[in-house]
Amino acid sequence: MTTNAPTVVLVHGAFADAAGWSGVIAELQAHGIPVIAPPNPLRGLAADAAYVASVAAQIDGPVVLVGHSYGGALITVAGVTENVVGLVYVAAYVLEEGESLGELQGRFPLSPLVSNLKQWTYPVEGGDPAVEVTIAADAFPSIFAADVPADVTKVLAVTQRPLAAAAFEETAAAAAWRTKPSWALVSGADKAINPEVERFGAKRAGATVVEIEGASHAVAVSQPKKVADLIRDAVLATS
């Protein structure tokens, strides 16, 4: 890669952590592309996007933000950061300014994820406990990672990171795809986000779209090379 190649920042989504990018990271590193995969706090759209923006702003040189799932909503807002030169959506929500996850999802038939969420609570300083959600462990393999080996999904199901329920109602403060080029990977057999939601958001953003038929929501785990190839396209186009 050229020395001015952007740094790739991989933003994981809900019910997962940065380890889900391991195969993608290995592919990018093999091609000499600088990459980091920070933790996503999963506490709310505005706060999480501010965290991602702050990570990007502290990197020397240009940045390509990559968001999986809920991470797509975050890069949409954080992408207005000055040194961000491109956005890559992986089986992700692509919000419009002023739109919430709930609103975008609500335009299409709900995915099986919605009826298989388990509620938990967590303490909030000076207030009542807040609600967070995970995917019911028995439903996790079929909904999140149907094309991932069973021994792997058993581990993923019990290492989920919960998402604050409030994140579904918060609206996006910005839509960076209006001013930055974008790419999108649609998982054709996604049971966590209706693929129609992914297609609609990607088309609205004018993204360069790749669709993988039969891919689950955990496409970065099951098909890391194809995900990395799309990210490389974005890096080459913005270098």
Side-chain angles (χ1 to χ4, degrees), residues 3 8 12 25 48 84 124 140 166 171 176 192 203 205-208 219 236:
T3 50
V8 172
H12 69 80
I25 292 168
D48 295 343
V84 173
V124 178
F140 184 91
T171 58
K203 186 179 178 186
T208 301
V219 63
L236 290 166

Side-chain angles (χ1 to χ4, degrees), residues 145-215:
D147 56 354
V148 175
D151 57 337
V152 176
T153 57
K154 277 184 185 170
V155 175
L156 295 178
V158 297
T159 56
Q160 289 182 65
R161 289 194 48 211
L163 175 65
F168 290 103
E169 304 310 321
E170 274 189 71
T171 58
W177 47 260
R178 291 194 164 277
T179 55
K180 315 271 171 108
S182 59
W183 290 258
L185 186 150
V186 173
S187 284
D190 202 326
K191 298 282 192 292
I193 300 178
N194 182 337
E196 286 298 331
V197 173
E198 298 171 21
R199 290 184 196 110
F200 170 81
K203 186 179 178 186
R204 180 172 62 179
T208 301
V209 182
V210 171
E211 178 153 349
I212 303 180
E213 201 179 330

Side-chain angles (χ1 to χ4, degrees), residues 75-87:
I75 70 168
T76 295
V77 178
V80 296
T81 307
E82 198 176 336
N83 63 329
V84 173
V85 294
L87 309 165

Side-chain angles (χ1 to χ4, degrees), residues 11 27 54 57 77-78 96 100 102 115 120 132 139 142-143 146 210 216:
V11 182
E27 289 284 340
S54 134
V77 178
E96 172 61 282
S100 70
S115 57
W120 308 74
E132 61 183 14
S142 63
I143 288 174
V210 171
S216 77

Side-chain angles (χ1 to χ4, degrees), residues 1-6 8 28-34 231-239:
M1 292 304 300
T2 54
T3 50
N4 67 340
V8 172
L28 295 175
Q29 287 178 336
H31 288 91
I33 297 171
I231 297 169
R232 281 176 63 211
D233 289 347
V235 167
L236 290 166
T238 55
S239 287

Side-chain angles (χ1 to χ4, degrees), residues 102-122:
E103 282 175 306
L104 176 56
Q105 282 194 149
R107 299 177 181 197
F108 300 90
L110 293 176
S111 71
L113 170 85
V114 180
S115 57
N116 284 284
L117 290 175
K118 179 172 163 58
Q119 289 199 351
W120 308 74
T121 61
Y122 64 97

